[in-house]
Amino acid sequence: MAIRNTLLQSISIVFLLAFSSLAQTVLTIDDIGIEVTSSSRVFSFTNKAFGQYHGETNSQSVDGWRGWFFQEQNIFKDYSISQDNIPLPRETSKCTVFPHTLKRIYPSGIIEQFVFADSIDYVGILLSGLNKSITFTLKDFGFDSSFSVNANSTVIYSSSLPPSYCLLFTSQNSSHAILTNNRALSIVINSPDGKYEIGLRIIKINATVFPETSFTKIMMEKQGRINSIFDRARVTTNNPDLNKAILWAAASLDALITVQEVKGIFAGLPWFNNNWGRDTFISLIGSTFCLNNFQDAKEILEAFAAFQIKDSLNEYYGRVPNRITLKESIYNTTDGTPLFVIQCLNYAKNSGDTNFIKKNYPVIKIALLGALKYYVDKDCLLTHKDAETWMDAVGPEGPWSPRGNRAVDIQVLWLGQVQATAIVAALLNDTTISALCSRLEPKIVNNIKNKFFDTLAYKIADRITTEGKLDFSERPNSLFATAESPLFKNEFERFKYFSNSAKNILLSQGVLSLSYKDKNFHPYHEYPPFYPKDAAYHNGIIWQWNTGIAVDNLCSFGLQDTAWKLTQTLTNQILNQGAVGSIAELMEVYPRTNSNYTKLSGCFSQAWSLAEYVRSFREAYFGITTDALSNTIIVSPHIPAGINYAKFIVNYKDSKFLYEYHTTGDKKIFKFTPTRVNSSVKVYFKYTDIKQAIALNFCLDSTAAIITAITDKSGLARLLLNKTVQISKTNMKQQLTDKKLTSSVNNFLLAHPVYNKNLKCFAGKAYPLIPFATIKHSNPNAKVIYDKADLPFDEKYTYPQNSNFRAGISDILNFNLSEDGNLYYFTILLRDLVNPGWHPEYGFQLTYLAILIRNSNSNFCNTVNKNSNYILSDSLSYNKAIYIGGGIEVSNYDSKIIAQYIPAQTDITNPLGNISEKSLRFAIPKRLLGKINNKCKITLLSGTQDDNGGAGLGIFRNVTMQVSEWSGGGKTNSNDNIYDELFIP
C-alpha cells in the first residue's frame, strides 16, 4: 500500500452498471461460480460474526484448520455423507463454488448444496437424488449427550463447543437416529422422497425456543447481500477473467469484515481470525473506501479508537491495538497507530464526514503525543523494537528478521501520521498541534533523506540499528519510500532509487521479502529438515500484499504494462489456484519438484493481499482520487495494454460520474461524464506517459460537462468538450524534457532469479539428524531402567485460556526408560494430550518437555534452557538434555546440539505423540547420550509449548501472574515456566 501524499487523498469509487445496453455483460453472483474437478481447492465462508467454515472442494479435509470454527474454537473438522457405508465420492464430483454457496454434483446424479449463514451460527446442507437412507457424520466432534425436541430436531451437547453452547441438529421432513463413535458423531437419516435438508445450528445451552431454519431462505438472504456488494464493486472491461476476479476479491474481502464483540477485519484465514490493527488499516482502503462502504469503515476505526492506551505512564501511551481478540488486546506494533491516524483522515476525505474527525481528534492527538513521549528520537525519527514492524516473526532465538530500531517504512508512516495530524489540527483550529506538526514534518523529511539515503549508490537503507549502523538489506520496505515524491529532488532521482531498490526483489509473480542475492535468502516457506517456516517468513518468500506498492511505483513511472504482469498473477490465483476466489498471504519463489505451480503458503485468504489487489485498480491503473475536504476529483490513469475497454461509475458524495476508456488503433480515449451532480467539485485530468514523453493536465470549473481526452502514439493530444465547459488551466500537451528519465524507464527490467542450490539455507545442520525409523523403533523386550509414576493434578500453574490448551497436557503421570543394545526407549504418559491438527506429523502440540540426565560427575550444568527459567539443584545438574516439542533435540551441558529429530509430513503414520494413549514414545541412540543406568539422576520437566507460530521444536511458553489467552497464569515468586516436575529416582 502506498503511504504517500496521494494516499492521504485516497479514493472513494463505486463500480455500477451504467447503461442498459450493457445488461447482457453484467455479472451477478450466479455468473461467477468457479468449477473445480479432479484436484481439490480450499473453500471458505464466514457468517460475518463469530463463525467461519473452511473445507475442501473435492476431498475430505485432513488439515487441522478445516471445518467449522465458532468463537475461535474448532467445532468439527468435516462432515461426510454415506449410503450403505460408502461415502459420497467428493474426488469424482464436479464442485462449483459461489460466494454464497457450494454445489457438488456426483457421477450418480446426487446433488449436494452447502450454505453457511450470515449472522447466525448455522450450517445447512441440501441433498437430492438419493434413494436410500443416509448416514451423516461429523468428524472430530466430541459427543456428550442429546435429547429430542421433536421428530425432526435433536439438541446435542458436546465438549467441542464453548461452554454454555449446544448444537441443534435438524432434518426437515426426515427422521433420524444418533450414533456415536469416539471423536465422531453419526446420524442415520430417512427421507420418504429422497430429499434431505440438514441443519446444524449453535444455540445457547439454556434455550427454550428451538428455531426452525430454512436452507433456501438462508441462501437467498446471503445471495442478496453479496449481490448488493457487487453493485458497488462491478467493473466492465474487455477481460472477462478480470471482471470476475474483481467481484470475487470484493466478496472475499467482505467475508473478512466481521463483528466479534467489535467490528473489524480478520487479518487472514484460517489462522488470524481476529482483528489485527496493522492488517486492518492497510486493508481498509480496498475493503471499504473503494467499495463506498463508509459505515463499516467508520465502525472499524471507532472500535480501535476505543482501545487506545490513554494512560500517559504506560509505555504504549497513544497506541491503538495490534490485535483485538475475544480475550485480550495486544499493543506490540509500531506501524498500526500511524496507519490508524492516516486512515482516519482518509475516511473523512472519502466520506466528507467531518463530524467523525471532530469526535476522534483526541485519539489522533494522543497518538502523536504518545509517540513523542516514548519513541521519537533526537532526529525526530520513530524508534521501535526489532519485531514491531510488519516483519514481526520471532523464533526461539529472537526475531528472524530484526528491524529495530528505526525501519525506513516506519519513518514513512510516521511522516504520514504527522502530515495527517497537521491537516486535522488545522481543520479544527488547534494551532498548537498544527504548529508542532509544521516543525516536525521538515525534520522528518530531511532526516529520512540524510540518514537512510546513499546518494552515491542511489540506495535506501532498510533500517538504522540501535548502534547507528545502516542495514542495506534489499527488502520491499524501500518501495514505500520511493513512492514518496517529496523525498526526492526530481522524478529521475526517484526512479534511480526505485530501480536500485527493485532490481533484485521485483519479479513478475510478486515481490521478494529479501533479495535473492542476499546470503540469508530463503526461496521456500516450510522446508524441513533445513529450516522452520518462520526462518523464511520475511527472508525471501513473496508477500503478495506488496504487489500493491510495486504497482503504485511502476505505474507512476509509466510502467503499467510491467505492473500488469504482477497483477495477472493475482487474477489467475483468484480464479485458478489456492483458495477459491481469494489471494493467499504468501507465495514461494520457485516451483517445487514435479510441480507446475509456485506453491502458495501462509493464510489461504489474506485481507491485505485482497485489499491491495482491489485498491491497485482504482488508484494505480484507473487513477481515481477523490477528496471531499477540498472538493476535488483527480483522474490520473495508467491503464495497461491488457485493458482496452473499461466502464464504471465513480461516486463522489452524492454525485456520480461515468468513467469510460477504450482504445481505437493507436488512440487512447478517456471519457468522464457526470450522470448525477449534486455537489460542487473540481475535476482534474492528468495524463502522463513518461515512456513517450507526453503530459496532459487540465482542470474543469464545472462538472456539468462531458470531457473526452484522446491521445495517440505520435504524441498528439486533443480535448473534446461540450460548450458548457470552462477550462481554467490548460496544458494540453507538454513535451517532457528529462530524456535521462525516459531512457532509464524504457530500460527497466524485472528480476529473474535462477535457482541456487548453494544457498546458505540449504547447507544442512552442523549435527546429525535422527531418522524417523530410529525415533519410532520399538522393542517390547527392552530392559527397563526406570519406571516411575507421578501424582495427577499437581500442576502449579493455570493453563492459557485458548481452548486448545486442555487441562492436563502438562501433567506428568508416568515416565518409563528402557534399553537394548543400541537404543534407549522413552515413554511419557500425561493426563491429557492434544493434537489441534496444525502439524499432524507431530501427533500432538502445545505440550513441551525437557529430560535432564546426569550420567557423569564432570562437565555438568544446572540451568535449563528453552525459556524454562528453571535452575536445578547442584545434585541434579545435568550432562545431557533432551527437549521434546515439534520434534526432539539432544544437547550437551553447554547447550551445544548433538542431534535432532525433525518430523516430516510422512511421519504422520506413526507420530511422536499419541493423543488416544496420551503418550509420547521415542527412541534415542545410546551413542548420543552415553551410559544410563539406575544410578543416574534424571529430571523430567513439563510445560506448554510455544513455537511462535512458526513450527519447529519451540520453547517453553511464558507463564505470567495473570492468565491470558496464550499465556499461563499463577506466577508468584517463582520465575520459571515449568508446570510439573518428576525427579528420578
Side-chain angles (χ1 to χ4, degrees):
M1 179 186 64
I3 308 297
R4 58 187 191 282
N5 287 340
T6 53
L7 174 62
L8 299 179
Q9 300 171 348
S10 219
I11 57 176
S12 161
I13 68 176
V14 183
F15 298 137
L16 296 172
L17 173 62
F19 296 123
S20 60
S21 60
L22 291 176
Q24 69 273 19
T25 66
V26 172
L27 297 176
T28 68
I29 199 168
D30 292 321
D31 302 316
I32 67 168
I34 295 176
E35 185 178 303
V36 186
T37 56
S38 63
S39 61
S40 189
R41 294 179 68 182
V42 178
F43 69 88
S44 179
F45 299 101
T46 78
N47 71 348
K48 296 184 65 63
F50 294 102
Q52 311 99 52
Y53 193 98
H54 324 304
E56 299 283 342
T57 58
N58 295 69
S59 68
Q60 286 288 319
S61 299
V62 294
D63 190 296
W65 287 96
R66 301 289 183 266
W68 190 359
F69 286 81
F70 171 71
Q71 293 190 357
E72 300 180 6
Q73 185 167 329
N74 187 218
I75 309 306
F76 59 79
K77 294 289 192 299
D78 202 349
Y79 66 87
S80 66
I81 301 160
S82 303
Q83 281 195 323
D84 296 331
N85 295 319
I86 301 174
L88 296 184
R90 289 183 182 174
E91 294 76 10
T92 57
S93 70
K94 183 179 76 172
C95 183
T96 305
V97 184
F98 300 86
H100 65 301
T101 188
L102 172 145
K103 181 183 288 186
R104 294 186 181 100
I105 302 176
Y106 294 92
S108 62
I110 295 170
I111 298 175
E112 171 194 355
Q113 194 162 4
F114 173 95
V115 71
F116 194 66
D118 278 344
S119 302
I120 64 173
D121 301 294
Y122 169 86
V123 167
I125 296 146
L126 195 64
L127 296 163
S128 63
L130 297 128
N131 54 18
K132 300 178 182 178
S133 66
I134 64 168
T135 301
F136 179 78
T137 301
L138 300 182
K139 308 262 182 92
D140 289 303
F141 180 83
F143 175 82
D144 294 339
S145 61
S146 66
F147 73 87
S148 295
V149 176
N150 53 47
N152 304 127
S153 304
T154 298
V155 171
I156 300 169
Y157 298 99
S158 170
S159 58
S160 295
L161 288 157
S164 73
Y165 288 95
C166 58
L167 187 69
L168 177 65
F169 175 86
T170 59
S171 55
Q172 299 294 335
N173 304 316
S174 307
S175 61
H176 59 264
I178 303 288
L179 305 173
T180 62
N181 179 19
N182 196 10
R183 292 291 297 177
L185 171 70
S186 293
I187 305 170
V188 178
I189 314 172
N190 292 283
S191 173
D193 58 3
K195 294 181 180 179
Y196 296 84
E197 182 177 325
I198 297 169
L200 301 165
R201 183 164 180 176
I202 297 173
I203 59 174
K204 285 286 189 179
I205 214 162
N206 57 357
T208 56
V209 177
F210 304 99
E212 292 189 6
T213 311
S214 164
F215 178 99
T216 302
K217 182 182 178 182
I218 288 290
M219 191 180 70
M220 294 299 291
E221 288 174 350
K222 189 154 194 158
Q223 181 179 23
R225 183 183 62 77
I226 296 174
N227 263 331
S228 69
I229 296 168
F230 290 173
D231 287 341
R232 296 183 277 116
R234 189 175 290 109
V235 58
T236 302
T237 74
N238 59 291
N239 186 328
D241 283 351
L242 174 60
N243 301 344
K244 188 174 179 179
I246 285 176
L247 294 182
W248 262 109
S252 295
L253 263 174
D254 181 77
L256 298 176
I257 299 176
T258 64
V259 181
Q260 291 195 117
E261 305 297 343
V262 297
K263 183 167 285 187
I265 303 175
F266 284 168
L269 296 175
W271 303 317
F272 305 138
N273 55 346
N274 35 49
N275 302 327
W276 290 67
R278 173 198 301 120
D279 301 61
T280 290
F281 306 135
I282 288 172
S283 303
L284 207 63
I285 298 175
S287 63
T288 61
F289 301 159
C290 287
L291 303 178
N292 205 38
N293 182 7
F294 298 122
Q295 187 61 35
D296 277 349
K298 179 180 180 179
E299 291 177 12
I300 289 167
L301 289 168
E302 289 184 337
F304 276 88
F307 285 86
Q308 184 186 45
I309 298 293
K310 294 182 171 64
D311 178 3
S312 63
L313 299 179
N314 189 310
E315 66 170 316
Y316 294 142
Y317 173 52
R319 283 190 181 183
V320 296
N322 180 37
R323 184 154 47 113
I324 301 173
T325 75
L326 298 180
K327 299 179 176 67
E328 60 187 348
S329 301
I330 303 167
Y331 295 84
N332 62 340
T333 187
T334 296
D335 46 10
T337 302
L339 281 163
F340 167 81
V341 173
I342 290 167
Q343 300 299 26
C344 282
L345 179 61
N346 277 335
Y347 168 77
K349 288 193 168 195
N350 283 282
S351 66
D353 182 1
T354 54
N355 288 330
F356 170 87
I357 286 294
K358 293 176 183 176
K359 177 182 177 182
N360 288 282
Y361 179 60
V363 180
I364 295 170
K365 181 177 177 179
I366 290 173
L368 178 74
L369 298 178
L372 291 170
K373 180 178 176 67
Y374 286 107
Y375 293 103
V376 175
D377 69 7
K378 62 181 179 60
D379 296 315
C380 297
L381 299 177
L382 190 63
T383 64
H384 52 85
K385 297 175 184 176
D386 275 335
E388 285 192 339
T389 77
W390 74 273
M391 292 184 163
D392 57 0
V394 176
E397 307 304 322
W400 287 106
S401 47
R403 301 192 64 235
N405 69 344
R406 284 151 293 175
V408 67
D409 50 314
I410 297 299
Q411 308 318 313
V412 172
L413 287 171
W414 168 233
L415 174 61
Q417 177 183 351
V418 171
Q419 291 171 331
T421 304
I423 292 170
V424 174
L427 188 68
L428 299 179
N429 298 314
D430 186 338
T431 55
T432 302
I433 294 297
S434 180
L436 174 60
C437 292
S438 296
R439 294 192 299 271
L440 281 172
E441 182 176 345
K443 292 179 181 179
I444 298 169
V445 169
N446 289 333
N447 282 319
I448 291 175
K449 293 193 287 187
N450 295 336
K451 302 291 185 180
F452 288 87
F453 287 21
D454 181 338
T455 57
L456 295 178
Y458 289 101
K459 290 186 176 181
I460 301 174
D462 183 64
R463 63 165 178 152
I464 303 172
T465 69
T466 305
E467 297 75 28
K469 295 181 180 179
L470 292 176
D471 178 358
F472 279 96
S473 298
E474 295 177 58
R475 297 181 178 278
N477 306 299
S478 58
L479 300 183
F480 294 95
T482 60
E484 294 280 346
S485 293
L487 295 176
F488 305 91
K489 295 177 184 177
N490 51 53
E491 287 299 276
F492 175 70
E493 182 186 70
R494 185 168 76 88
F495 183 78
K496 289 285 287 184
Y497 278 102
F498 164 73
S499 180
N500 285 330
S501 296
K503 65 182 180 181
N504 294 321
I505 63 170
L506 194 55
L507 283 57
S508 61
Q509 66 265 41
V511 186
L512 301 178
S513 51
L514 181 65
S515 165
Y516 72 93
K517 293 184 177 180
D518 194 284
K519 64 181 181 180
N520 198 35
F521 176 67
H522 292 63
Y524 304 118
H525 193 195
E526 193 166 357
Y527 202 64
F530 295 99
Y531 52 82
K533 64 183 181 181
D534 265 11
Y537 205 38
H538 301 103
N539 289 320
I541 54 175
I542 293 167
W543 282 73
Q544 302 198 95
W545 80 278
N546 282 324
T547 292
I549 189 63
V551 168
D552 288 344
N553 275 276
L554 289 166
C555 285
S556 73
F557 294 114
L559 291 166
Q560 54 266 30
D561 289 340
T562 301
W564 190 241
K565 295 176 183 178
L566 283 75
T567 300
Q568 283 180 304
T569 297
L570 300 179
T571 300
N572 178 67
Q573 185 181 146
I574 289 171
L575 301 180
N576 301 310
Q577 189 184 3
V580 175
S582 198
I583 302 174
E585 180 183 16
L586 310 168
M587 177 187 285
E588 295 185 339
V589 183
Y590 307 114
R592 300 269 183 137
T593 304
N594 299 323
S595 175
N596 295 324
Y597 290 97
T598 305
K599 184 180 178 182
L600 303 175
S601 194
C603 287
F604 58 69
S605 182
Q606 189 80 357
W608 56 14
S609 300
L610 288 159
E612 284 295 272
Y613 176 81
V614 171
R615 185 193 64 79
S616 292
F617 284 102
R618 280 72 164 175
E619 285 195 337
Y621 291 126
F622 297 132
I624 301 294
T625 302
T626 67
D627 183 353
L629 299 182
S630 62
N631 289 320
T632 60
I633 299 174
I634 298 175
V635 183
S636 181
H638 298 93
I639 300 180
I643 300 176
N644 57 45
Y645 170 82
K647 182 178 287 193
F648 54 89
I649 287 290
V650 176
N651 272 30
Y652 172 79
K653 294 165 68 171
D654 54 355
S655 299
K656 295 182 183 294
F657 299 84
L658 176 63
Y659 186 121
E660 297 174 278
Y661 167 78
H662 71 271
T663 60
T664 301
D666 291 339
K667 292 184 176 65
K668 297 178 180 179
I669 302 174
F670 299 88
K671 294 184 69 176
F672 196 72
T673 309
T675 60
R676 186 180 74 196
V677 180
N678 295 321
S679 301
S680 174
V681 59
K682 285 189 176 183
V683 181
Y684 293 83
F685 185 89
K686 298 181 179 182
Y687 178 83
T688 304
D689 188 335
I690 292 174
K691 297 178 75 173
Q692 296 181 36
I694 306 168
L696 290 173
N697 184 6
F698 57 86
C699 173
L700 302 181
D701 281 341
S702 170
T703 57
I706 297 175
I707 173 172
T708 304
I710 303 176
T711 71
D712 60 33
K713 285 188 175 180
S714 67
L716 296 176
R718 60 194 175 94
L719 303 176
L720 303 179
L721 308 168
N722 75 7
K723 293 180 181 179
T724 62
V725 172
Q726 300 296 319
I727 301 176
S728 63
K729 190 175 181 181
T730 303
N731 188 357
M732 289 175 50
K733 177 187 170 187
Q734 174 188 343
Q735 196 71 30
L736 300 179
T737 57
D738 196 337
K739 295 181 179 179
K740 291 189 300 181
L741 175 59
T742 300
S743 176
S744 297
V745 168
N746 285 332
N747 290 323
F748 180 81
L749 296 172
L750 295 171
H752 295 280
V754 177
Y755 179 82
N756 181 5
K757 66 179 180 180
N758 297 317
L759 287 169
K760 179 184 175 182
C761 65
F762 296 153
K765 308 293 185 182
Y767 43 81
L769 297 178
I770 307 173
F772 172 68
T774 299
I775 282 288
K776 294 305 295 184
H777 191 273
S778 63
N779 182 354
N781 298 316
K783 177 184 174 183
V784 175
I785 301 173
Y786 284 117
D787 186 67
K788 185 168 183 180
D790 189 34
L791 293 174
F793 301 98
D794 60 345
E795 306 102 301
K796 60 185 180 185
Y797 296 131
T798 304
Y799 290 94
Q801 293 175 330
N802 185 277
S803 61
N804 289 293
F805 292 90
R806 293 214 299 260
I809 62 173
S810 297
D811 188 5
I812 303 164
L813 296 185
N814 190 269
F815 172 84
N816 182 283
L817 172 62
S818 58
E819 66 174 336
D820 60 19
N822 298 311
L823 299 170
Y824 292 116
Y825 299 91
F826 295 83
T827 301
I828 301 167
L829 299 181
L830 298 134
R831 182 159 58 88
D832 205 351
L833 199 66
V834 297
N835 181 13
W838 306 333
H839 288 278
E841 67 272 22
Y842 303 171
F844 79 107
Q845 269 190 277
L846 301 178
T847 297
Y848 199 82
L849 298 163
I851 304 172
L852 298 315
I853 302 168
R854 179 162 182 168
N855 57 0
S856 170
N857 289 322
S858 61
N859 296 330
F860 48 83
C861 176
N862 61 357
T863 300
V864 184
N865 297 318
K866 306 297 183 184
N867 197 45
S868 69
N869 294 337
Y870 192 91
I871 299 176
L872 293 162
S873 64
D874 289 342
S875 62
L876 296 176
S877 52
Y878 64 94
N879 309 99
K880 296 288 189 295
I882 304 171
Y883 296 100
I884 306 108
I888 294 174
E889 180 179 292
V890 182
S891 61
N892 267 326
Y893 68 95
D894 57 1
S895 302
K896 183 178 179 179
I897 299 174
I898 301 172
Q900 278 188 342
Y901 158 64
I902 301 175
Q905 291 184 353
T906 53
D907 296 355
I908 192 174
T909 56
N910 185 18
L912 192 59
N914 185 316
I915 60 170
S916 61
E917 294 181 356
K918 299 177 175 47
S919 69
L920 299 167
R921 299 179 186 270
F922 56 92
I924 303 288
K926 283 186 167 183
R927 58 182 171 77
L928 298 177
L929 297 174
K931 185 177 181 180
I932 303 175
N933 56 36
N934 58 12
K935 296 181 180 179
C936 295
K937 293 184 178 179
I938 298 176
T939 303
L940 175 61
L941 304 177
S942 70
T944 57
Q945 182 210 33
D946 187 356
D947 66 2
N948 298 108
L953 181 72
I955 56 177
F956 285 103
R957 184 176 291 271
N958 282 328
V959 180
T960 55
M961 292 180 64
Q962 299 296 322
V963 67
S964 67
E965 181 175 9
W966 294 101
S967 297
K971 268 191 178 179
T972 52
N973 296 325
S974 172
N975 290 318
D976 68 62
N977 295 314
I978 302 303
Y979 281 63
D980 198 6
E981 52 201 2
L982 181 62
F983 303 105
I984 308 156

